Amino acid sequence: MTQAPAPPKAARRQHDREIVALAVPAFGALVAEPLFVMADSAIVGHLGTAQLAGLGVASALLTTAVSVFVFLAYATTAAVARRVGADDLPAAIRQGMDGIWLALLLGAVVIAAVLPTAPTLVQLFGASDTAAPYATTYLRISALGIPAMLVVLASTGVLRGLQNTRTPLYVAVAGFLANAVLNAALVYGAGLGIAGSAWGTVIAQWGMAVVYLVVVVRGARRHGASLRPDTAGIKASAQAGAPLLVRTLSLRAILLIATAVAARLGDDAIAAHQIALALWSLLAFALDAIAIAGQAIIGRYLGADDAQGARDVCRRMVEWGIAVGVLLGLLVVIARPLFLPLFTGDPSVKDAALPALLVVALSQPVCGVVFVLDGVLMGAGDGPYLAWAMVFTLAVFTPAALLVPVLGGGLTAVWGAMTLMMVVRMLTLWVRARSGRWVVTGAAR
């Protein structure tokens, strides 16, 4: 017997429960990730300035390398969620295994590229003569953990697609604690210095990867899914991720351009920019958590051939994005005087940062819509559109940002350009969402 459609209020409450159940644990896992670097920095910082500087350069390289492959999580979430919606758990887990095998292959390629080129990469990032040896040591050892980090990304995508964001939270918290203990023990207890920090992080990362693999393998055996690498499946995973790779690279280019322009405005401006960017990134975790929920829920509805359900939850998630964006913006406005002293006591830096932070606050409702619609379209497997939309956004942002120093604008103008970038993203995503072309039902797009 077919159930009657749920009343609007009941349907909204159901969507709210699903969003909260997925978004809250996802937020915790997202926040736990940067704590790895913070723990390393706190421990290595006591070894000396040169060691901390070396860690900073190596961490930036590693973060860039791993963030480029975040599509392993995004594409896997969408593909697995569709098959969950189609009530085909064996195929869902099989799809997830394809993503994990792709992660291992990519990790091996990255290791082969990083190990021999580590000194050159460190020099290109401008490490000083005193910091370069420490950066090279940390980079070479930590590179051994890159396959584990990529497996974690892909496995996280599998569990998100299975509508499970609690396990990634537990693994992330356990990984952070293990990383902190191992770092302290190896750096100071074993006297290995910065190499001990790198080894501690590598061990923690592989520990997390093993836990994920155990969870996925158990699920595969329970549902009779094959664990063997499938060439066609791995190729399909790579093809699904390629557009998201273009999207990610375009976004990274935008952030690099903004930082480069701020650097041209002087030391006070770049220092204030880093503070604003740190806050902007922190706020992004809250909004990204809703986007992750969107990826999982939208994929499941489309896999279940419920086009109207997908549209309804999209509308509700946009409302969530706006509401959370308004709340975050108000918090930034209220907390600005308390937030800045945590980073600087320089009055000039504070003066530059205060108006920039106000722009960040005003842009949060726009950011809320952008993150949510980004998640919706990812969940729908609409990667090619996301790629072209981000390339277009990059084309609009670049001249606007580069004109800031030419026209005599300051850091506030740089963040005005960043807000323009988000508005352009919102418009391109809104047009696609309104068109309905993303609503493609079935177990596969």
Side-chain angles (χ1 to χ4, degrees), residues 120-217:
T120 303
L121 292 172
V122 166
Q123 288 180 347
L124 288 174
F125 260 62
S128 66
D129 292 339
T130 54
Y134 296 111
T136 301
T137 297
Y138 190 92
L139 181 59
R140 277 181 166 157
I141 296 172
S142 294
L144 301 177
I146 288 177
M149 288 188 276
L150 299 189
V151 167
V152 167
L153 283 176
S155 301
T156 300
V158 176
L159 295 179
R160 288 173 180 170
L162 293 171
Q163 317 296 295
N164 176 2
T165 56
R166 290 184 178 274
T167 298
L169 171 61
Y170 301 148
V171 175
V173 172
F176 164 70
L177 294 175
N179 177 65
V181 172
L182 286 166
N183 268 257
L186 295 175
V187 171
Y188 297 111
L192 296 179
I194 195 169
S197 176
W199 280 117
T201 300
V202 168
I203 294 169
Q205 288 163 345
W206 276 107
M208 293 170 65
V210 168
V211 171
Y212 274 120
L213 289 174
V214 168
V215 172
V216 175
V217 167

Side-chain angles (χ1 to χ4, degrees), residues 27 55 65 81 243 333 404 418:
F27 175 70
L55 172 66
V333 173
V404 169
M418 287 286 286

Side-chain angles (χ1 to χ4, degrees), residues 21-39:
L22 291 172
V24 172
F27 175 70
L30 289 169
V31 171
E33 291 173 7
L35 293 179
F36 268 78
V37 177
M38 290 179 64

Side-chain angles (χ1 to χ4, degrees), residues 7 9 59 65 70 102 108 139 145 162 166 184 210-211 240 268 285 289 306 390 396 435:
K9 288 185 178 180
S59 295
V70 72
L102 176 62
L139 181 59
L162 293 171
R166 290 184 178 274
V210 168
V211 171
D268 291 343
F285 285 133
D306 188 353
M390 189 61 79
V396 173
S435 73

Side-chain angles (χ1 to χ4, degrees), residues 99-120:
I100 291 172
W101 281 112
L102 176 62
L104 287 170
L105 290 173
L106 291 173
V109 171
V110 174
I111 285 181
V114 169
L115 290 180
T117 61
T120 303

Side-chain angles (χ1 to χ4, degrees), residues 25-83:
F27 175 70
L30 289 169
V31 171
E33 291 173 7
L35 293 179
F36 268 78
V37 177
M38 290 179 64
D40 289 1
S41 299
I43 292 170
V44 171
H46 292 287
L47 294 174
T49 302
Q51 288 90 333
L52 184 58
L55 172 66
V57 171
S59 295
L61 285 164
L62 288 165
T63 301
T64 299
V66 174
S67 66
V68 164
F69 298 111
V70 72
F71 69 82
L72 288 166
Y74 294 158
T76 304
T77 297
V80 171
R82 276 184 175 270
R83 283 158 178 78

Side-chain angles (χ1 to χ4, degrees), residues 5-15:
K9 288 185 178 180
R12 284 199 298 272
R13 284 196 295 269
Q14 178 186 346
H15 295 326

